Amino acid sequence: LPGVYVDKVILATNNEKRIERLREKRASENDKNSRGNIMNGPRGYIIQRAAKEFKNGMYVNLGIGIPTLAGNFVPPGVKIELHAENGLMG
């Protein structure tokens, strides 16, 4: 890129940034009966985790698939602008 100048490169010694702890959920009768619901599986976990990254004033591009559903889990009190793949914004 023109106009980009690197003054110094620093080697990081500790790159681990844990933002969550992994847990395994035990299967129960309710989980077995709701297998068809996308929100109960790994995709649902990904969608809800991505929605936690939304901050006030962000413009969020809702792509096709999982990103489209992330708009359903905007945290309370967070105001974002949603942009759809077909060009809609609002």
Side-chain angles (χ1 to χ4, degrees):
L1 295 172
V4 175
Y5 175 75
V6 177
D7 185 46
K8 188 185 291 187
V9 176
I10 300 171
L11 177 63
T13 56
N14 184 4
N15 295 326
E16 184 177 1
K17 294 182 180 179
R18 303 285 309 185
I19 58 173
E20 60 187 76
R21 294 184 185 182
L22 297 177
R23 300 182 288 190
E24 290 189 24
K25 187 168 93 174
R26 297 177 195 253
S28 67
E29 284 300 315
N30 292 338
D31 293 338
K32 292 176 185 173
N33 293 335
S34 59
R35 254 189 226 166
N37 187 351
I38 190 172
M39 299 313 297
N40 291 331
R43 287 182 176 205
Y45 175 75
I46 293 168
I47 294 165
Q48 293 175 41
R49 180 63 189 91
K52 287 181 181 180
E53 296 293 324
F54 295 156
K55 304 286 186 250
N56 270 330
M58 280 186 154
Y59 286 87
V60 180
N61 183 353
L62 301 178
I64 297 171
I66 288 177
T68 303
L69 296 172
N72 296 334
F73 295 96
V74 177
V78 174
K79 305 277 187 202
I80 61 172
E81 293 290 330
L82 298 175
H83 176 264
E85 287 295 315
N86 62 1
L88 282 173
M89 183 175 246

